[in-house]
Each structure stands twice: as structure tokens, then as C-alpha cells.
Amino acid sequence: MAEAALAARDLQEETRRKDEAVRQSIMERLSETGEKDRLKELLREKLVECGWRDELKEYCKEVIRSKGLEKITVDELVEEITPRGRATVPDNIKTELLQRIRRFLQTT
């Protein structure tokens, strides 16, 4: 049983390493070609268009009011709002970005 558990853990670790290497390779290709910057700009535009940016800005204001301007650091604010920000990105925007990345990978 212990051997099977070790083998499974080794396989998981190897898979994690391979996934990270692929991720790193994709990020390099996106950066080298300028596609990463284009995707970031598209994301920025889409988030502004759908009101996500304004909603998150209001949430920031709420957090600052509730905790007190003098009692919260920028790092604490970022830690507080990041989960909500990520969770509230509309699915259609995530899908569009993913499709653009897939098309990019198929053409390079």
C-alpha cells in the first residue's frame, strides 16, 4: 500500500512539474509575441464595458470605510478584494480570453 501511495504522489508531482513547464512556455510565447499585452488590454476594455471595474471600485470604498482609511494598508486592501474581483469576472469574458489564447496557440 505504501508503495502505491508513493508512486501516486510521485506521479502527481511529475504532472505538476510538467504542467508548470507548459504554463511557463505558453507565458513566454505570449510575452515574446506581444499577445499578452493585447490580451491584457482586451480584458481591461471588457471589464470596464461590463461595469466590473466600477463595481470593484465601490467595493474597495466600502472596505476602506468599514476598516478605516488609517487602519488598512494597500496590501491588506488587495488581499481583501482580490478573491471577490476574480470571482466576479463574467464568464463570457473568461471564455472569450480562453478562446483567444487557444487560437493563438494553434497558430504559433
Side-chain angles (χ1 to χ4, degrees), residues 5 15 20 28 32 38 40 48 56 60 68-69 74 85 99 104:
T15 300
E20 182 57 32
E28 286 173 11
E32 289 169 356
R38 288 187 288 276
K40 283 169 56 175
V48 168
L56 197 61
C60 285
L69 181 59
V74 171
Q99 288 171 347
F104 169 80

Side-chain angles (χ1 to χ4, degrees), residues 26 29-30 35 39 42 91 94-108:
I26 291 169
R29 287 168 50 195
L30 288 169
E35 186 66 14
L39 289 169
L42 175 66
D91 287 340
K94 292 177 189 178
T95 300
E96 183 176 347
L97 285 172
L98 186 56
Q99 288 171 347
R100 289 270 306 253
I101 293 168
R102 284 185 178 140
R103 272 197 309 271
F104 169 80
L105 293 173
Q106 290 170 348
T107 61
T108 60

Side-chain angles (χ1 to χ4, degrees), residues 67-80:
K67 296 195 182 243
L69 181 59
E70 303 300 322
K71 296 179 181 174
I72 190 167
T73 66
V74 171
D75 289 340
E76 291 169 337
L77 181 61
V78 169
E79 187 177 325
E80 177 83 23

Side-chain angles (χ1 to χ4, degrees), residues 44-81:
R44 214 175 273 115
E45 289 172 10
K46 295 290 185 180
L47 292 175
V48 168
E49 283 175 14
C50 75
W52 177 91
R53 185 179 181 273
D54 291 334
E55 289 175 19
L56 197 61
K57 187 176 178 180
E58 284 304 312
Y59 180 62
C60 285
K61 290 178 183 178
E62 290 173 27
V63 170
I64 292 168
R65 277 193 290 270
S66 71
K67 296 195 182 243
L69 181 59
E70 303 300 322
K71 296 179 181 174
I72 190 167
T73 66
V74 171
D75 289 340
E76 291 169 337
L77 181 61
V78 169
E79 187 177 325
E80 177 83 23
I81 68 167

